[in-house]
Amino acid sequence: MEASSSLRFQVSRFSSFKIWLCLFLVLVLQNCSPALSDSPYLVGMGSYDITGPAADVNMMGYANAEQIASGIHFRLKARAFIVAEPNGKRVVFVNLDACMASQLVTIKVLERLKARYGDLYNENNVAISGIHTHAGPGGYLQYVVYIVTSLGFVRQSFDVIVNGIEQCIVEAHNNLHPGKIYVNKGDLLDASVNRSPSAYLNNPAEERGKYKYNVDKEMTLIKFVDDESGPIGSFNWFATHGTSMSRTNSLISGDNKGAAARFMEDWAEQNGIPKQAAHVNHDGLESSHMTSRLPRRVSPIIPEPNEITDDLVQLASSYEASGGRRLSSSSITKRIRSTQQNRPKFVSAFCQSNCGDVSPNVLGTFCIDTGLPCDFNHSTCNGKNELCYGRGPGYPDEFESTHIIGNRQFQKAVDLFSSASEEIQGKIDYRHTYLDFSKLEVNVRTSTGSQQVVKTCPAAMGFAFAAGTTDGPGAFDFKQGDVKGNPFWRLVRNLLKTPGKEQVECQAPKPILLDTGEMKEPYDWAPAILPIQIIRIGQLAILCVPGEFTTMAGRRLRDAVKAVLTSDNSGEFNNIHVVLAGLTNTYSQYITTFEEYEIQRYEGASTLYGPHTLSAYIQEFQKLATAMVANKEVPTNFQPPDMLDKQIGLLPGVVFDSTPPGVEFGDVSSDVPASSTFRKGSVVNATFYSACPRNDLLTDGTFALVEKLDGSNSWVPAYDDDDWSLRFKWSRPSKLSPRSFATLEWTVPGDAPSGVYRLRHFGASKPLIGSIKHFTGTSRAFAVR
């Protein structure tokens, strides 16, 4: 009996022990796995340099053959986010500091991703979008009409973009960690105006009455928060053209959206984001509101400001220009970026939306000869369109206009970022298909309420296309709002391709200037096969469109898709936010409403596939949305062409570089004045004997550098050509000269530490025989008060 009782006691005690052990393990597991229970996604951010050739290459956007790159305002980046369900679907969105996405670029990026990751990333879940800067090198698209002014295909422009996109996706993939996403919205009222208000007014009055403004003023921002590091980035969508920089600018620039991204990433670095510091609050942000001063990118090892004394001025005067010297190519990038390698970085992208008729030149349009407002309907001055220009807020300084519009977007983004509280939750999903827009059947409603089947047309551009816009007017006697055409230009057109009767009737009332969809020599002039795509991240739906939707066209598309999504009885899409990502995956110019198309301003003349183009987009996006709600796949019967092997490039290569006898590459041609002292806001410049920047793009490096003397008699990097304050300008004494010069122009920022500085130039020269050689040289030193 006693033995049996003892056994029961031991069994009972062992059972109790197991119960307590199980409870303990449950508590431990609950406390050790907050990412599994609290964070529904894996999030990763990445960015990489895509700055193309800073010399000789025509810029993409204005189609101005005389706008040739000759330096860098600040560098261009590809920025990416990846959001993944831990064991489910994932999506990639890439934002480019480029005029637009390119079908050929997208094809080649997807090939690289497949080789690296298999089927993990593909055309269905990867979106590549452009900010629409008109100040980036061209020649990277595959259709003839988009590369005429760049003298055909420019392989160097193409390769740097493809490589940069791949690298930023790889970085985002490697950075995937458990995290949360938040969404926020708000109006930005002073960064956009409608540049074709007469066309907008042709939309139904009842429809226009639904909206307070004739452009979309709303910015939508998503905020990414890593469970361990805190905030790691943000992407936002807001409609305004990348045309603060004019058609005569020759410095590579991300324009207002690229500038906004620079400002926000600098601001995050200064505030200890993503690594939280003691001076930031619980959200990783300074509690005080933003100041208006310009952020700067500066090495973290720069010492605190010093008082300028006569001894420091004397010290500066003891450092003369170094003279040019050779470098090993591998030392350049390491020298510049080594101080900031392996630091977690904040990635911020300012994405494009339905910007088709939206300008950043908010002061209005004026005649440059009289100063009077331009004609309302045709944007002409005494009948001449080339005299009518929009004015930015910093007029007449385009750099200041770029800064102001960029800063306004940046400030709004910071406000939305700081106050974002709506967490994104729900599944990740996507739908994608290719369509032949040259002959797409579309069901449209007639004025009597019945249904009618119409078709889109092969691509064609109207006469008003050649008139340009008030952001960048065209030439000759073209004008916006032209529905008749001109007999002389019809004769010129017919030398290339005479449009047939069916095409003329299909495109009416557009008078056809270029029948690009039917021009096939030496290869296709315009696209026919286009991608459309919806990316869903919880209650956020991103409509990826391959062109520039006007304000009302974008509104109609968003509303149509939202109506389909919210018709689901499950309530899964009730709180959906729908944004439109313009210029995504490829480029097919403009999309106006039917009513705007009738007016035939620039946007209507550039709506390639005829008056029913928007109706076709709405119909096909509704199909994608319906399939998403029903959890069904969308078949595709088309694939876009890969015409890389057909590309023709007529831009001559660099033959060789030279300097005068007795002069080395990197020697100073015009130096900083001796024993000089500069105050904040003043401009310092020096000119060096240089070589063509096409010899080496110095990707993720720099052609220009400001160095500061530290306390131990060594020079440390302070500002580079990715900085707003430092401009790299390149020039030749004549068009065919093998000699060239690099001018470094530094506007001393208001918050630059006082001390001793100098300017340094990096470059690469090509001899007539032999390999490319890298070089550097410095100016004499100077003091900054």
Side-chain angles (χ1 to χ4, degrees):
M1 293 289 294
E2 290 178 4
S4 175
S5 176
S6 174
L7 181 61
R8 286 197 302 270
F9 174 77
Q10 290 176 6
V11 171
S12 174
R13 185 171 63 177
F14 181 71
S15 298
S16 299
F17 173 77
K18 287 198 296 182
I19 292 171
W20 283 109
L21 178 61
C22 288
L23 290 172
F24 174 76
L25 290 174
V26 168
L27 289 172
V28 168
L29 289 173
Q30 285 180 339
N31 289 327
C32 290
S33 59
L36 295 178
S37 59
D38 293 342
S39 297
Y41 305 119
L42 301 174
V43 296
M45 315 292 290
S47 66
Y48 201 78
D49 187 4
I50 59 168
T51 308
D56 301 331
V57 177
N58 183 252
M59 289 183 165
M60 182 62 193
Y62 287 117
N64 176 16
E66 297 180 357
Q67 189 188 13
I68 305 299
S70 60
I72 297 175
H73 179 204
F74 58 88
R75 286 192 169 253
L76 309 180
K77 294 288 180 71
R79 297 174 171 88
F81 72 74
I82 299 177
V83 180
E85 295 169 338
N87 295 302
K89 292 183 175 181
R90 62 182 58 202
V91 293
V92 183
F93 190 94
V94 181
N95 191 60
L96 303 177
D97 286 347
C99 194
M100 68 280 289
S102 155
Q103 185 66 73
L104 189 58
V105 166
T106 301
I107 289 170
K108 296 308 176 184
V109 167
L110 292 174
E111 288 179 359
R112 291 194 183 190
L113 294 177
K114 185 174 180 61
R116 187 184 288 268
Y117 298 111
D119 294 329
L120 190 61
Y121 302 111
N122 53 68
E123 63 191 19
N124 297 309
N125 65 353
V126 175
I128 302 172
S129 184
I131 63 171
H132 210 38
T133 175
H134 287 41
Y140 64 93
L141 288 88
Q142 69 174 346
Y143 296 101
V144 173
V145 75
Y146 305 131
I147 55 176
V148 168
T149 56
S150 62
L151 300 180
F153 190 70
V154 181
R155 188 63 190 245
Q156 201 172 31
S157 292
F158 174 81
D159 284 342
V160 74
I161 294 175
V162 172
N163 184 64
I165 295 171
E166 180 191 20
Q167 292 303 317
C168 78
I169 293 174
V170 169
E171 184 176 282
H173 177 87
N174 293 337
N175 286 338
L176 282 170
H177 293 104
K180 297 183 177 69
I181 310 170
Y182 298 87
V183 62
N184 202 3
K185 294 181 177 182
D187 285 349
L188 174 57
L189 301 180
D190 55 358
S192 57
V193 295
N194 196 305
R195 69 184 187 187
S196 287
S198 60
Y200 181 88
L201 287 173
N202 206 46
N203 292 307
E206 182 181 359
E207 182 181 34
R208 288 185 280 111
K210 298 176 184 178
Y211 305 99
K212 187 175 181 180
Y213 304 104
N214 63 2
V215 295
D216 284 341
K217 299 289 189 179
E218 187 173 72
M219 176 184 285
T220 300
L221 176 141
I222 51 176
K223 171 182 177 179
F224 299 92
V225 181
D226 185 288
D227 280 359
E228 294 185 2
S229 302
I232 54 173
S234 69
F235 275 53
N236 69 72
W237 290 265
F238 177 77
T240 195
H241 247 77
T243 50
S244 292
M245 301 296 289
S246 75
R247 67 193 300 273
T248 60
N249 163 63
S250 65
L251 299 185
I252 290 174
S253 174
D255 209 277
N256 58 70
K257 285 189 175 290
R262 288 297 180 283
F263 299 162
M264 192 156 184
E265 288 174 348
D266 293 345
W267 165 83
E269 181 179 349
Q270 292 170 3
N271 282 276
I273 303 171
K275 281 193 174 181
Q276 298 184 13
H279 64 280
V280 298
N281 63 24
H282 69 280
D283 196 33
L285 306 173
E286 282 187 336
S287 57
S288 61
H289 191 68
M290 289 302 307
T291 62
S292 60
R293 65 185 177 86
L294 189 66
R296 61 184 172 87
R297 188 179 302 274
V298 61
S299 167
I301 60 177
I302 293 293
E304 291 299 309
N306 303 304
E307 286 295 324
I308 288 292
T309 63
D310 291 340
D311 290 340
L312 281 177
V313 175
Q314 185 176 356
L315 177 62
S317 66
S318 68
Y319 287 91
E320 291 295 325
S322 66
R325 62 184 178 87
R326 294 293 182 186
L327 287 174
S328 63
S329 60
S330 61
S331 69
I332 295 179
T333 298
K334 290 179 181 178
R335 179 183 179 88
I336 307 305
R337 300 296 183 187
S338 60
T339 59
Q340 298 188 18
Q341 292 289 338
N342 302 318
R343 295 180 60 201
K345 61 184 178 184
F346 185 91
V347 177
S348 179
F350 286 69
C351 310
Q352 196 54 270
S353 191
N354 52 322
C355 68
D357 54 355
V358 187
S359 172
N361 296 313
V362 295
L363 297 186
T365 60
F366 297 89
C367 300
I368 59 174
D369 56 344
T370 65
L372 298 174
C374 303
D375 171 77
F376 181 77
N377 290 317
H378 301 291
S379 297
T380 56
C381 301
N382 294 320
K384 297 181 179 180
N385 76 88
E386 60 266 33
L387 299 178
C388 176
Y389 279 86
R391 292 181 181 176
Y395 175 82
D397 186 340
E398 61 189 298
F399 293 95
E400 182 61 17
S401 291
T402 301
H403 167 235
I404 292 171
I405 297 297
N407 193 56
R408 288 171 181 174
Q409 291 177 76
F410 154 62
Q411 295 278 359
K412 188 63 190 179
V414 169
D415 288 341
L416 295 176
F417 185 88
S418 305
S419 59
S421 60
E422 180 185 343
E423 184 177 352
I424 289 181
Q425 296 178 320
K427 69 166 66 173
I428 292 174
D429 207 355
Y430 41 80
R431 293 293 183 276
H432 175 283
T433 193
Y434 290 108
L435 300 164
D436 186 349
F437 265 79
S438 70
K439 52 183 178 181
L440 194 61
E441 290 189 348
V442 186
N443 288 293
V444 297
R445 188 179 297 275
T446 66
S447 58
T448 61
S450 61
Q451 291 289 321
Q452 178 185 4
V453 177
V454 296
K455 279 189 174 183
T456 55
C457 324
M461 297 189 292
F463 275 68
F465 159 78
T469 72
T470 55
D471 291 334
F476 304 109
D477 54 350
F478 296 101
K479 65 179 180 180
Q480 298 194 65
D482 184 358
V483 295
K484 295 181 180 179
N486 175 294
F488 172 77
W489 291 111
R490 288 183 194 276
L491 288 174
V492 174
R493 172 201 67 189
N494 293 343
L495 295 175
L496 295 171
K497 176 71 172 67
T498 303
K501 180 181 178 183
E502 183 179 354
Q503 173 75 325
V504 170
E505 292 175 349
C506 185
Q507 291 279 352
K510 177 198 293 178
I512 298 173
L513 177 64
L514 289 173
D515 191 15
T516 53
E518 298 181 315
M519 297 167 68
K520 305 294 182 181
E521 297 297 334
Y523 43 87
D524 291 355
W525 278 55
I529 309 301
L530 300 179
I532 62 170
Q533 181 182 35
I534 300 178
I535 287 176
R536 180 196 172 188
I537 308 170
Q539 68 267 35
L540 176 70
I542 306 172
L543 312 184
C544 301
V545 298
E548 303 174 60
F549 277 60
T550 61
T551 298
M552 195 64 85
R555 287 167 176 171
R556 289 184 190 177
L557 179 63
R558 289 197 306 262
D559 289 348
V561 171
K562 188 171 185 177
V564 173
L565 295 177
T566 54
S567 66
D568 176 38
N569 294 327
S570 69
E572 183 180 356
F573 296 92
N574 283 354
N575 298 316
I576 197 79
H577 301 276
V578 181
V579 298
L580 189 149
L583 306 116
T584 302
N585 294 327
T586 188
Y587 184 63
S588 60
Q589 293 174 247
Y590 285 74
I591 301 92
T592 65
T593 67
F594 180 87
E595 295 83 358
E596 292 166 346
Y597 185 90
E598 290 181 310
I599 301 301
Q600 280 298 295
R601 282 181 62 88
Y602 174 84
E603 295 80 15
S606 304
T607 296
L608 295 184
Y609 307 104
H612 303 294
T613 301
L614 174 59
S615 296
Y617 273 102
I618 290 174
Q619 172 183 282
E620 298 305 318
F621 265 99
Q622 286 176 321
K623 292 179 182 178
L624 290 191
T626 300
M628 182 172 283
V629 170
N631 198 28
K632 294 181 179 179
E633 296 303 314
V634 178
T636 184
N637 299 316
F638 304 99
Q639 285 292 325
D642 177 348
M643 299 191 294
L644 181 59
D645 292 340
K646 296 182 179 181
Q647 296 302 309
I648 298 171
L650 302 178
L651 178 70
V654 179
V655 179
F656 70 99
D657 299 287
S658 70
T659 58
V663 174
E664 300 291 335
F665 290 105
D667 281 356
V668 174
S669 168
S670 176
D671 207 349
V672 178
S675 303
S676 54
T677 300
F678 296 89
R679 295 187 178 275
K680 313 298 173 64
S682 55
V683 178
V684 187
N685 56 63
T687 300
F688 299 82
Y689 289 96
S690 190
C692 185
R694 287 197 285 154
N695 294 326
D696 189 331
L697 303 184
L698 301 186
T699 300
D700 219 20
T702 188
F703 290 99
L705 188 67
V706 177
E707 294 178 322
K708 185 177 186 296
L709 186 67
D710 74 2
S712 58
N713 201 33
S714 62
W715 296 92
V716 294
Y719 302 86
D720 60 26
D721 66 13
D722 194 23
D723 229 289
W724 181 271
S725 64
L726 181 60
R727 298 174 191 171
F728 163 63
K729 298 180 177 181
W730 181 83
S731 62
R732 285 190 180 102
S734 61
K735 188 172 184 179
L736 299 178
S737 174
R739 297 180 184 176
S740 62
F741 298 92
T743 298
L744 276 54
E745 183 178 284
W746 183 44
T747 302
V748 183
D751 55 358
S754 299
V756 177
Y757 291 82
R758 69 181 182 185
L759 305 179
R760 178 183 289 276
H761 171 47
F762 292 95
S765 63
K766 181 180 179 181
L768 188 60
I769 300 174
S771 60
I772 289 173
K773 308 288 186 182
H774 292 82
F775 62 86
T776 188
T778 67
S779 72
R780 63 166 58 97
F782 54 91
V784 169
R785 290 188 181 276

